[in-house]
Amino acid sequence: MTKRRSWAEPWKIKVVEPLKMTTRAEREAAIREAGYNTFLLRSADCYIDLLTDSGTSAMSDHQWAGMMLGDEAYAGSRNFYALEQAVRDHYGYEHLIPTHQGRGAEHILSQLLIKPGDYVPGNMYFTTTRLHQELAGGTFRDVILAEAHDPASEHPFKGDVDLAKLEALVAEVGAERIPYITIGVTVNMAGGQPVSMANLHEVSAYCRTQGIRVILDATRAVENAYFIQQREPGYRDQPVAQILRQLCDLSDGATMSGKKDSLVNIGGWLAVRDPQLAEQARNLVVVYEGLHTYGGMAGRDMEAMARGIVESVQDDHIRARIGQVQYLGYKLIDAGIAVVRPIGGHAVFLDATAILPHLPREQFPAQALAAALYVESGIRAMERGAVSAGRDPKTGESRYPRLELVRLTIPRRVYTQAHMDVTAESVMEIFDQRERVRGLGFVYEPEYLRFFQARFATVGGDGIFA
Ligand code: F0G
């Protein structure tokens, strides 16, 4: 029998940043001023900030040392070549086009490959990815397994593509109208759920026969590789770095938000194998992002990302990262709180429709739950439900995805186990008062990515608690 080992972090803390505690009255005023949208709160008014794992990581001493080696040349910075090498070594793509962050890469790729009237399948939507596809004239089609839409399903690879759905789309519109498929590894909106290597093999083989490119959204691919190591037969003895390469080998290219897996505060990239597509991307990136050897990043940012990539694929790192997320997740499961199962890679997702059954979908239970959690505890979370899903561009109707979630997103290397304990206790506190939480209605709704800047008012009285 092997002894059970803790997920304790493979680092110690060198620098600390004080957290501010606020009073309940201050938080009530702050959330009202923010229109009950946690994106509009000031960070200084948040105690434990679980809004996102994007750009919120703590960098290592090695990364900070690299910041001093920034070569801020306009063209041909040595840090670009270091980043290009790190991407070639660990993701295996020959051609790297840096961008300011992930959506910059999505924009370039969508503009290059999508023609009006095209369809782009994907294993569940992501907000910015789908919008860029739509703005390029494409229509997104969800081809994820049905289990992904069921928060209680324990399927180990809920990110998998349902090949029958993909084949049906090809039969319906023709492969020539499908320039590529986007595979999120892991799938953010499904709860940070992974794709299996076996499924990616199948999808990749099928797409090759149809002439459809396979593009990974590699934003959290290292987390996906860790789940493959832990859950998929035959991978237990392989290092995560090796599994990551195998995942990427099954694709034609990737878009990347370096702000997640790669342990940096800003940056992203598009990477492809096709030299012609790479040349077109290099030409377009100068229009929107910057020269093709910096793409919107400072030299120092590229160096930090090159170093962050190397750190991110270490087994010790990723085991501790996901270990911490699971620690919080199982605490909530043990307390009887409805969360998306299994626990995902970057966050624990509360099932707001299960927790607040008295609120109709039109009153945005997840948005309300996030606001209530903030007022109760100062913890900032994010809505991932109908507000995030936005409106259908053709019908103008609000989309109501089956999943109506609040995401407790864990920044990498930032918070301690005690912070996770406080977070769990705060969620339990809300759970005890759940009948008192009021619904929300829009008072301002922006046209694009409405969740970022929308404002709400409470329904049936003032304040998020009745
Ligand atoms: N793809 C995925 C799966 C993402 O989670 C994100 C960002 C992006 C693309 C876009 O990258 O922000 O660098 O432009 N997700 C953040 C989040 C915003 O909080 O989940 P970006």
Side-chain angles (χ1 to χ4, degrees):
M1 218 177 89
T2 51
K3 254 200 251 160
R4 219 177 146 266
R5 304 301 293 260
S6 161
W7 51 273
E9 294 85 356
W11 40 260
K12 59 183 176 175
I13 295 165
K14 184 164 356 212
V15 176
V16 298
E17 176 183 332
L19 296 177
K20 189 178 134 194
M21 311 288 276
T22 47
T23 64
R24 192 182 181 99
E26 284 169 342
R27 294 192 295 273
E28 275 167 357
I31 196 74
R32 187 177 293 119
E33 201 184 314
Y36 296 93
N37 184 348
T38 53
F39 277 103
L40 300 180
L41 288 167
R42 291 169 187 237
S43 131
D45 293 332
C46 300
Y47 169 40
I48 300 175
D49 196 349
L50 307 183
L51 184 71
T52 177
D53 64 329
S54 181
T56 52
S57 296
M59 293 207 295
S60 67
D61 50 2
H62 187 63
Q63 286 177 289
W64 277 109
M67 297 285 278
M68 283 305 291
L69 302 178
D71 170 5
E72 307 305 343
Y74 187 88
S77 161
R78 83 170 86 92
N79 312 118
F80 166 75
Y81 296 101
L83 178 60
E84 184 184 55
Q85 196 57 50
V87 171
R88 282 183 183 156
D89 289 348
H90 294 289
Y91 292 86
Y93 303 114
E94 177 65 17
H95 302 287
L96 175 77
I97 294 92
T99 58
H100 76 286
Q101 56 185 75
R103 69 198 72 177
E106 293 165 357
H107 176 212
I108 303 291
L109 183 77
S110 301
Q111 291 295 327
L112 285 178
L113 292 183
I114 300 171
K115 296 185 305 300
D118 281 353
Y119 287 80
V120 187
N123 56 345
M124 200 172 272
Y125 85 101
F126 184 71
T127 54
T128 57
T129 319
R130 180 174 65 188
L131 180 58
H132 278 300
Q133 293 164 354
E134 289 171 351
L135 291 173
T139 300
F140 170 83
R141 277 294 182 84
D142 188 10
V143 293
I144 204 168
L145 285 189
E147 283 87 341
H149 296 278
D150 173 6
S153 162
E154 292 278 4
H155 193 292
F157 292 103
K158 282 167 111 172
D160 280 359
V161 170
D162 183 337
L163 210 60
K165 286 184 188 165
L166 181 58
E167 286 168 352
L169 179 65
V170 172
E172 181 193 332
V173 306
E176 62 289 349
R177 286 172 74 194
I178 307 178
Y180 62 96
I181 179 170
T182 313
I183 314 271
V185 286
T186 57
V187 184
N188 189 352
M189 302 302 280
Q193 303 295 327
V195 175
S196 65
M197 193 75 81
N199 184 253
L200 194 56
H201 259 289
E202 260 189 291
V203 171
S204 176
Y206 173 73
C207 286
R208 214 168 305 125
T209 67
Q210 301 295 319
I212 298 170
R213 283 189 169 95
V214 176
I215 302 291
L216 295 188
D217 181 337
T219 296
R220 298 181 185 84
V222 182
E223 293 177 0
N224 199 112
Y226 177 76
F227 283 122
I228 289 173
Q229 184 196 57
Q230 296 299 307
R231 295 181 186 167
E232 195 164 347
Y235 292 94
R236 192 47 87 94
D237 297 325
Q238 294 190 37
V240 162
Q242 195 175 312
I243 298 171
L244 176 67
R245 275 299 300 268
Q246 292 170 57
L247 264 182
C248 295
D249 285 351
L250 294 169
S251 70
D252 298 291
T255 56
M256 176 74 182
S257 170
K259 303 171 72 174
K260 285 78 165 178
D261 268 355
S262 302
L263 300 163
V264 287
N265 306 121
I266 194 70
W269 44 260
L270 167 67
V272 295
R273 300 189 200 285
D274 176 353
Q276 221 177 330
L277 182 61
E279 209 40 53
Q280 291 171 324
R282 280 187 203 105
N283 192 221
L284 203 56
V285 84
V286 299
V287 180
Y288 294 109
E289 303 280 318
L291 194 75
H292 59 279
T293 56
Y294 76 87
M297 277 185 278
R300 55 180 173 272
D301 296 328
M302 291 191 280
E303 188 62 33
M305 202 196 298
R307 294 174 180 221
I309 287 172
V310 176
E311 292 177 14
S312 74
V313 301
Q314 306 305 315
D315 284 68
D316 280 357
H317 159 74
I318 193 68
R319 183 192 309 118
R321 189 284 184 279
I322 292 183
Q324 184 178 44
V325 176
Q326 297 197 332
Y327 174 83
L328 174 63
Y330 286 109
K331 249 186 180 260
L332 293 173
I333 288 175
D334 289 347
I337 312 281
V339 299
V340 173
R341 319 277 289 253
I343 302 301
H346 64 305
V348 179
F349 290 73
L350 307 175
D351 182 353
T353 38
I355 295 170
L356 304 177
H358 62 287
L359 296 184
R361 291 298 298 275
E362 298 71 30
Q363 291 183 21
F364 307 116
Q367 189 77 30
L369 186 58
L373 180 65
Y374 171 73
V375 169
E376 172 61 35
S377 62
I379 293 171
R380 169 155 69 170
M382 182 195 288
E383 190 266 5
R384 293 275 80 155
V387 178
S388 292
R391 289 177 184 273
D392 185 302
K394 288 187 189 122
T395 66
E397 291 299 314
S398 268
R399 298 185 258 220
Y400 287 98
R402 170 115 183 257
L403 298 176
E404 174 76 10
L405 310 173
V406 171
R407 190 180 72 177
L408 301 165
T409 337
I410 314 301
R412 295 167 186 78
R413 309 194 293 205
V414 170
Y415 291 112
T416 66
Q417 186 164 331
H419 290 119
M420 297 301 106
D421 290 342
V422 170
T423 301
E425 289 157 17
S426 303
V427 173
M428 291 173 214
E429 196 68 45
I430 285 290
F431 189 64
D432 290 343
Q433 316 169 47
R434 58 194 181 277
E435 291 90 358
R436 292 179 49 218
V437 176
R438 288 201 172 105
L440 295 170
F442 275 111
V443 293
Y444 166 61
E445 184 186 344
E447 184 179 358
Y448 300 121
L449 303 174
R450 65 185 185 180
F451 56 96
F452 283 131
Q453 290 144 336
R455 304 184 69 85
F456 301 84
T458 51
V459 175
D462 193 30
I464 195 69
F465 289 104

